Amino acid sequence: MRALLSVSDKRGIVEFARALAALGWEIVSTGGTAAALKEAGVPVLPIEQVTGFPEIMDGRVKTLHPKVHGGLLARRRHPGDVAALKQHGITPIDLVAVNLYPFRDTVARPDVRFEQAIEQIDIGGPSMLRSAAKNHQDVIVVADPDDYPAVIAALKAGELSPGASPGLRRKLAAKVFAHTAAYDAAIHAYLAKDGAAWPEQLTLALERRQTLRYGENPHQAAALYATEEPGIRDLRQLHGKELSFNNLLDVDAAVAAVAAWPDRIACAVIKHTTPCGIALGRSPAQAYERALATDRISAFGSVIAFNQAADRAAADAMRELFVEVVVAPEFRDDALAVLREKKNLRVIALPRLSTGRAGTSSACAAASSSRSGFGRAGRWTKRRGRWSPAVRRRRTSGATCGSRGRRWGASSPTPCCSRGTRPPSGSARGR
């Protein structure tokens, strides 16, 4: 049995290769992976001894060869494929462990040059992964280092015999196509970022971050998926019940609301994605009291967001109000101790959003789904750097008010407040 190992992320690769060698597998490898395995004492057959051709063009061409892809794509029970292997002297490859050049990490660096980014577009790696995944009935394909232990355990248990164990083989193959799809989406996004505002094609690559308590209603299942960009993926839950879909909608609205004041202390009280009140203050506690004063009734069962660290005084101020979620960039230890006295209160740490996320960048866009489609629109943008209220209303205790009942960032340029009624005990929003 022959295994081909060629990885950029070398976590666990030496241990994986050792385990394969102990099971009698021949190890073929390339470049830096081969060097790492040789240094660790693992017997390795260099790829150029398989292809009969050296690596060329600074490693751009090394595995794009019939001796590699023929060995991956040959169907073991297909007479024509077996005859072709014999005719051309190709040895079948029965396992591939490949992960790709770190393109997303490279382009995330602020100082990266275009030429550097282009060199991190992997060609041979995705080709080998796709060949192996297409022929997964005969070839085991591993793109994630976290899967190495499961593969070794299955091999030892005899659960990965060719053609007889579709479960794990198919799962690994599906993971490969998800991996390469996300990789291609990142490349497309990078190359198209300075092009048309609304490209003809938009590819979304989302990673599941967590399952949720329930969806929009308690009988619905839900999960949180996120892009690679900073934002909701950085959420850390410090206390409380599992989050629901509705909680996350309100958290997103609340954090976006307070992000407009990066240099001042702001607090937003959000219910059903609509602000009950948004206010500034000299301290988080004062900002909270002012925001709450805008509409104390609707604030029952709300989500409260701060754009600065929440301290003990702010936590004490929230003691008497039933709140679903409190979110802030960080929480002081004594504030967290107070908030943890409420068993079901969800306490969320989420890094501050950049001003671009709040709408000052034209690159930011809001998306919403409909049946079989997505709508995309530019986010609200601050006009001339100042606020102008859509509706003049009397201020209450210094709280900021605006138009009634409109979603933040939808059509009103100001914070808004809405008056509601206390939800009945046991309502879905209170779970």
Side-chain angles (χ1 to χ4, degrees), residues 143-271:
D144 185 351
D146 291 340
D147 289 325
Y148 295 161
V151 169
I152 293 299
L155 287 171
K156 289 180 177 179
E159 297 172 357
L160 284 175
S161 54
S165 50
L168 180 57
R169 285 175 176 268
R170 185 169 297 177
K171 178 181 177 181
L172 294 170
K175 200 167 186 177
V176 161
F177 286 111
H179 183 53
T180 57
Y183 193 79
D184 287 342
I187 296 169
H188 170 253
Y190 176 77
L191 294 177
K193 67 179 181 178
D194 297 324
W198 311 118
E200 292 185 8
Q201 292 185 329
L202 184 66
T203 304
L204 296 177
L206 306 176
E207 178 187 358
R208 191 182 71 191
R209 303 298 295 174
Q210 66 183 87
T211 55
L212 302 174
R213 192 162 183 245
Y214 57 83
E216 191 170 2
N217 296 290
H219 67 282
Q220 296 171 306
L224 169 64
Y225 290 80
T227 68
E228 288 291 326
E229 296 176 357
I232 199 70
R233 69 177 294 112
D234 302 314
L235 177 151
R236 292 185 299 117
Q237 184 165 353
L238 306 178
H239 176 67
K241 293 189 297 187
E242 189 178 7
L243 288 163
S244 73
F245 177 79
N246 291 328
N247 292 150
L248 284 175
L249 289 180
D250 284 351
V251 165
D252 183 64
V255 172
V258 296
W261 293 278
D263 301 320
R264 301 185 67 181
I265 298 173
C267 175
V269 181
I270 300 290
K271 186 75 170 288

Side-chain angles (χ1 to χ4, degrees), residues 100-111:
L100 309 179
Y101 296 166
F103 179 82
R104 283 178 290 195
D105 292 341
T106 299
V107 298
R109 300 201 314 261
D111 60 341

Side-chain angles (χ1 to χ4, degrees), residues 87-88 130 140 186 215 268 281 285 340:
Q87 178 183 354
H88 299 287
R130 291 174 63 86
I140 304 163
R340 281 176 170 161

Side-chain angles (χ1 to χ4, degrees), residues 277-279 289-294 394-401:
I278 304 174
E289 292 288 2
R290 288 177 169 181
L292 178 64
T294 304
R394 189 175 183 179
R395 292 192 178 187
T396 305
S397 302
T400 305
C401 270

